[in-house]
Amino acid sequence: MPDDHNTNKPKVNKEPTSEDVARLAGVSRATVSAYINDTRYVSDKLKKQIDRAIDILNYTPNELARSLKLQTNKTIGLLIPVLSKFYLPMIRSINERIHERGYTMLIGSSEEDSGREKEILQVFVSKKVTGILMVPCSTQNIRYISNLQDRGIDLVQLNRRIEQIDSDSVVSDTEGAVYDAVSYMVKTHHKSKIALMGYNPNASAVLDKRNGYLKAMKDYGTVPLIIETSDHDPEHDKRIFAEFFKANDIDGVVCTTRTHMEVVFDTLRRMNKKVPQDVSMVGYDDPVWTTFVEPKISVISEDRFNMGEQAVDMLFDRIEGKYTGDAKHIVMKSDLIIRQT
């Protein structure tokens, strides 16, 4: 009878990656990439650490990386999830900031589709962009994005952050803002059946908002009421919200996007519900119309213009070799603007 323990099985050798080198050397992947591709200054001490890790792992750098880096032009790729008014302040600030440095911008929209996101990233590579600013839509392309970084392409995440991507990032504290919104409803309007309007389990956009909501509901001892939506069909979302409202008799709503705020406000008016007497409401984003309607809508507001500026500065610190350390993560405060709802 064959001895299973002595059965010869082929060994699968995993090729070491720059991430393995970075981990062993005790530096960031960006620093490994900078050293291998000679794109910015790396101290002699860090070079020795990286060389030692390369020797130990028998790592072979991708020679294509150097050629790609040498062929780059003065262009920055901007990848956003949707072309909407929400992102206009960010786009404007990024365009102004990179123009000041003599760069131009390529922009693409993933439409919250991971396949399209990868296609746009591939276009950026084919256009030989110097760096990429991206609002990621899912975790599906982590491996591909890591390969881009291995090739020496600098990348910064903004508005959303996927932790598995080892890059600088700048985001808003939406988790804390949603927590504050729930707290405001409970303490000020004495609401107890508060719903979160606009959770899409297939998108990364609202995970932090959902976490803030769940934490608040737990802290205040109330039952979570999460309304799942598609994010793409306002009329469908209006029906979903109306049906959920009737089934759960909710008395408060926190919205996760500008579109969901419009959906909730319009639906409540159609249902002849008084805000905030019957239903308290906190919207998302701060378009001008929220101060023109009656009652004026309380909102969660992000400073996306400043976010864009900071993201560009972080990217150019990498491109110009001004910063070569571990990935930096900036969390900007989101404001809860209290009005009448």
Side-chain angles (χ1 to χ4, degrees), residues 18-19 29 141-151 164-166:
S18 65
E19 187 174 3
R29 169 183 273 170
N141 294 316
I142 290 175
R143 183 178 294 275
Y144 181 74
I145 292 169
S146 296
N147 288 337
L148 295 184
Q149 294 174 293
D150 286 345
R151 293 182 177 191
Q164 298 95 317
I165 298 176
D166 182 23

Side-chain angles (χ1 to χ4, degrees), residues 175 178-179 182-183 186 191-192 194 209-226:
E175 180 174 334
V178 170
Y179 183 96
V182 173
S183 179
V186 173
K191 306 298 183 179
S192 60
I194 301 168
K209 299 170 190 174
R210 177 178 178 270
N211 290 341
Y213 169 80
L214 290 175
K215 185 176 186 301
M217 298 302 279
K218 180 180 179 181
D219 288 351
Y220 288 104
T222 53
V223 178
L225 298 168
I226 297 178

Side-chain angles (χ1 to χ4, degrees), residues 1-272:
M1 208 167 177
D3 185 353
D4 289 342
H5 294 289
N6 294 326
T7 302
N8 292 323
K9 296 181 180 179
K11 292 183 179 180
V12 178
N13 293 319
K14 177 180 175 292
E15 288 291 331
T17 66
S18 65
E19 187 174 3
D20 297 326
V21 174
R23 189 180 301 111
L24 183 59
V27 299
S28 70
R29 169 183 273 170
T31 301
V32 173
S33 175
Y35 172 50
I36 291 173
N37 299 307
D38 194 24
T39 56
R40 64 175 76 97
Y41 173 77
V42 177
S43 70
D44 289 340
K45 178 183 177 182
L46 293 184
K47 285 178 182 178
K48 290 179 181 178
Q49 291 175 211
I50 295 170
D51 280 333
R52 179 175 177 274
I54 288 174
D55 288 341
I56 292 173
L57 295 172
N58 195 26
Y59 171 70
T60 304
N62 182 359
E63 290 300 323
L64 180 61
R66 290 186 179 86
S67 62
L68 283 173
K69 195 68 182 183
L70 290 172
Q71 296 174 39
T72 57
N73 55 45
K74 301 184 73 172
T75 305
I76 301 299
L78 172 61
L79 177 54
I80 57 176
V82 63
L83 291 169
S84 69
K85 292 180 180 178
F86 179 82
Y87 286 105
L88 284 180
M90 179 188 296
I91 294 170
R92 191 170 72 251
S93 66
I94 290 171
N95 188 50
E96 290 178 3
R97 209 72 159 185
I98 67 173
H99 180 72
E100 291 171 357
R101 291 174 163 88
Y103 279 68
T104 57
M105 178 173 69
L106 289 178
I107 185 169
S109 172
S110 68
E111 299 302 315
E112 300 287 9
D113 179 86
S114 59
R116 184 178 294 191
E117 179 182 70
K118 185 175 181 180
E119 290 174 1
I120 293 169
L121 290 171
Q122 289 171 332
V123 170
F124 287 168
V125 173
S126 72
K127 298 297 182 181
K128 301 179 177 63
V129 297
T130 309
I132 295 173
L133 299 166
M134 71 176 296
V135 183
C137 71
S138 75
T139 58
Q140 297 301 308
N141 294 316
I142 290 175
R143 183 178 294 275
Y144 181 74
I145 292 169
S146 296
N147 288 337
L148 295 184
Q149 294 174 293
D150 286 345
R151 293 182 177 191
I153 299 176
D154 294 299
L155 181 143
V156 173
Q157 299 179 79
L158 69 164
N159 191 243
R160 307 174 188 170
R161 179 193 169 208
I162 294 176
E163 291 185 4
Q164 298 95 317
I165 298 176
D166 182 23
S167 78
D168 297 329
S169 67
V170 53
V171 300
S172 293
D173 182 17
T174 54
E175 180 174 334
V178 170
Y179 183 96
D180 291 343
V182 173
S183 179
Y184 156 73
M185 288 184 183
V186 173
K187 293 179 178 179
T188 304
H189 294 293
H190 309 293
K191 306 298 183 179
S192 60
K193 302 187 73 174
I194 301 168
L196 182 73
M197 174 59 184
Y199 173 63
N200 184 346
N202 297 317
S204 62
V206 294
L207 289 178
D208 287 343
K209 299 170 190 174
R210 177 178 178 270
N211 290 341
Y213 169 80
L214 290 175
K215 185 176 186 301
M217 298 302 279
K218 180 180 179 181
D219 288 351
Y220 288 104
T222 53
V223 178
L225 298 168
I226 297 178
I227 307 173
E228 293 191 6
T229 61
S230 65
D231 281 331
H232 295 294
D233 187 349
E235 292 305 315
H236 176 262
D237 289 349
K238 287 177 183 179
R239 292 193 296 273
I240 293 292
F241 176 70
E243 291 170 3
F244 192 95
F245 184 95
K246 294 173 182 176
N248 294 277
D249 192 30
I250 61 179
D251 58 12
V253 188
V254 178
C255 305
T256 60
T257 68
R258 177 195 290 220
T259 299
H260 290 126
M261 172 174 64
E262 294 167 356
V263 164
V264 169
F265 190 71
D266 185 51
T267 305
L268 291 176
R269 294 183 74 170
R270 290 185 185 184
M271 296 173 69
N272 295 317

